[in-house]
Amino acid sequence: MATAAYYRLETSNVKRSEGHSSVAAAAYITAEKLHDERTGKTYDFTNKQHVYDTEIFAPANAPAWVFERSRLWNSVEKAEDKSTRRQEARPARQLILSFPAVLTHEQKIQAARAFVQKECVAQGMIADVAYHDFEGDKAHNPHAHVLLTTRHLTPEGFAGKERAWNHKKQLEAWREKWAAHLNHHLETHGHAERVDHRSYEKQGIDRVPQQHEGRSATVIKEKVARGEHDRLPDVVTLNAKIAELNRLKEEIRREEEAIRDEEQRLLAKLTAEQDNRKPPVTLAQENARRVMDIQAPTTVDHQKVTEQVLKTVAQSQQPPSLVPNVTAKAEPTKQPSPQQQRSGRPPDDPSFRTYNAVKRQLEGMGGNGWFEIGIRYEPTKEGEKGYFSEH
């Protein structure tokens, strides 16, 4: 599972209304000494530490002089002097790109170069890049400063401003693209960490973002630790409170998750116990089928049964029982039946034995006594013949 790495992309404008100068900004981020021809001031930051490399990127058709830092930014300032609102001019824009600490010095530079070339220079900007705090005992915040021009460059020099470069949509695009470039390099170099340019809220993370402290706050914090200063900067104190708040939020989240897991475990256990007390589904289905068979009404087609009995009688003087598990009642033979009396035949005559056999079969099948089938013999001139008769 990928873990979250630190992500930061900040942007700011160099504003003359606030006493800023693009020459001064370039001198500061590159730790160089530069002279501002417009104001006559010289800015010397050569004693600044933790600046590990600098370079200038420009479009392919740019003249060679743009790679001279002092000439580049003095030309930028001169272009702003031609503006009708030169006192409120914004000659440059600055980006701060932070790097995940797991990347090496060279990998960080590769990521920054790819981003600046594709997302800035390709649009026509010139970029002055400085890499800070990459390594060493005091390395705590590896990042790059990118100072960008705001006007189109022509063979005659800087021309009109490109307002789209300072639009909010441009910032949103840069934030997303920088995250994509970092994740590409993290994956390429075998690191599991990933960055996300979205806010905690949009990521669905219940955390409060901390404020960027900056190098000056870090210096004061180091002095406090050495006993050379008695008060931490406000931003450091605020971040400490935010860190404690986020720690409590995370602790609450873990406890809530543990409670949900325990509830799920107990529910699964209770469900399993209830299932064990239930009969198997197949047994329940078999019992239900048996109950339905018992409750189902029995319908007998007497006409079909009679036809089967008579057919059997014609084939044999002793027909087999057609109804299973039914014991035929013994027919009393002490007194002759009315048929015997009328015919004058003895009780053991075979014809009466057949009659009695048929009667027993019909009684075993549930006859109601109101209708029966009989067989009688009557003498004729041609001889004795048997007839079916209803009684």
Side-chain angles (χ1 to χ4, degrees), residues 46-305:
T46 53
N47 291 330
K48 183 177 174 61
Q49 298 179 347
H50 309 300
V51 178
Y52 293 95
D53 201 355
T54 66
E55 52 189 339
I56 295 175
F57 300 92
N61 60 349
W65 59 263
V66 301
F67 297 98
E68 300 175 24
R69 186 163 285 114
S70 178
R71 186 175 178 182
L72 168 63
W73 295 112
N74 275 296
S75 297
V76 166
E77 290 293 335
K78 289 178 182 178
E80 295 297 334
D81 286 338
K82 300 175 183 179
S83 171
T84 57
R85 301 178 62 183
R86 54 184 177 272
Q87 298 302 324
E88 300 176 0
R90 298 181 179 185
R93 192 177 192 188
Q94 182 177 194
L95 302 179
I96 299 178
L97 310 175
S98 288
F99 302 97
V102 294
L103 294 176
T104 65
H105 183 106
E106 186 59 32
Q107 290 167 359
K108 294 167 188 171
I109 291 178
Q110 290 174 358
R113 284 173 176 171
F115 172 79
V116 170
Q117 287 279 15
K118 187 173 182 180
E119 310 301 336
C120 302
V121 177
Q123 296 189 55
M125 306 175 203
I126 299 174
D128 195 353
V129 184
Y131 305 97
H132 290 202
D133 293 336
F134 271 14
E135 54 193 6
D137 295 338
K138 294 185 179 181
H140 68 288
N141 179 28
H143 62 279
H145 290 264
V146 183
L147 197 61
L148 298 168
T149 57
T150 58
R151 293 178 178 270
H152 287 287
L153 182 64
T154 67
E156 291 76 28
F158 288 102
K161 286 209 172 193
E162 178 54 68
R163 303 296 178 184
W165 294 348
N166 200 38
H167 198 276
K168 182 179 178 180
K169 291 183 178 180
Q170 177 64 78
L171 174 59
E172 293 173 351
W174 275 335
R175 288 183 58 81
E176 182 178 358
K177 295 295 185 179
W178 178 232
H181 278 275
L182 286 179
N183 286 332
H184 171 72
H185 281 79
L186 286 168
E187 182 179 5
T188 300
H189 298 293
H191 299 290
E193 292 85 347
R194 296 293 183 269
V195 300
D196 196 320
H197 68 285
R198 298 172 298 170
S199 65
Y200 285 148
E201 182 180 1
K202 290 185 178 180
Q203 293 182 55
I205 299 176
D206 187 16
R207 289 178 63 86
V208 179
Q210 291 182 313
Q211 302 296 315
H212 179 63
E213 295 180 359
R215 183 62 185 171
S216 60
T218 303
V219 171
I220 295 175
K221 189 162 55 175
E222 292 172 352
K223 289 183 178 181
V224 171
R226 294 194 301 267
E228 300 174 1
H229 198 280
D230 59 356
R231 184 175 179 273
L232 288 171
D234 291 341
V235 66
V236 175
T237 303
L238 175 61
N239 282 341
K241 293 179 180 179
I242 293 175
E244 177 62 15
L245 175 60
N246 288 333
R247 185 191 68 78
L248 291 174
K249 283 177 172 285
E250 180 63 19
E251 183 177 337
I252 292 172
R253 186 194 64 78
R254 288 197 300 266
E255 290 180 359
E256 289 177 342
E257 185 176 342
I259 291 173
R260 287 194 298 269
D261 291 343
E262 180 65 14
E263 289 176 347
Q264 291 294 328
R265 186 187 68 80
L266 292 176
L267 180 60
K269 181 180 179 181
L270 179 61
T271 303
E273 291 175 353
Q274 291 176 344
D275 290 343
N276 290 335
R277 289 195 295 268
K278 294 178 181 178
V281 176
T282 54
L283 178 58
Q285 292 175 342
E286 178 64 19
N287 290 339
R289 186 190 64 78
R290 291 179 179 178
V291 170
M292 292 177 63
D293 290 345
I294 293 172
Q295 294 177 345
T298 303
T299 303
V300 178
D301 189 337
H302 293 283
Q303 182 178 355
K304 289 186 178 180
V305 172

Side-chain angles (χ1 to χ4, degrees), residues 14-30:
V14 175
K15 301 177 182 178
R16 282 188 178 180
S17 61
E18 297 180 5
H20 298 168
S21 163
S22 62
V23 177
Y28 176 79
I29 68 171
T30 61

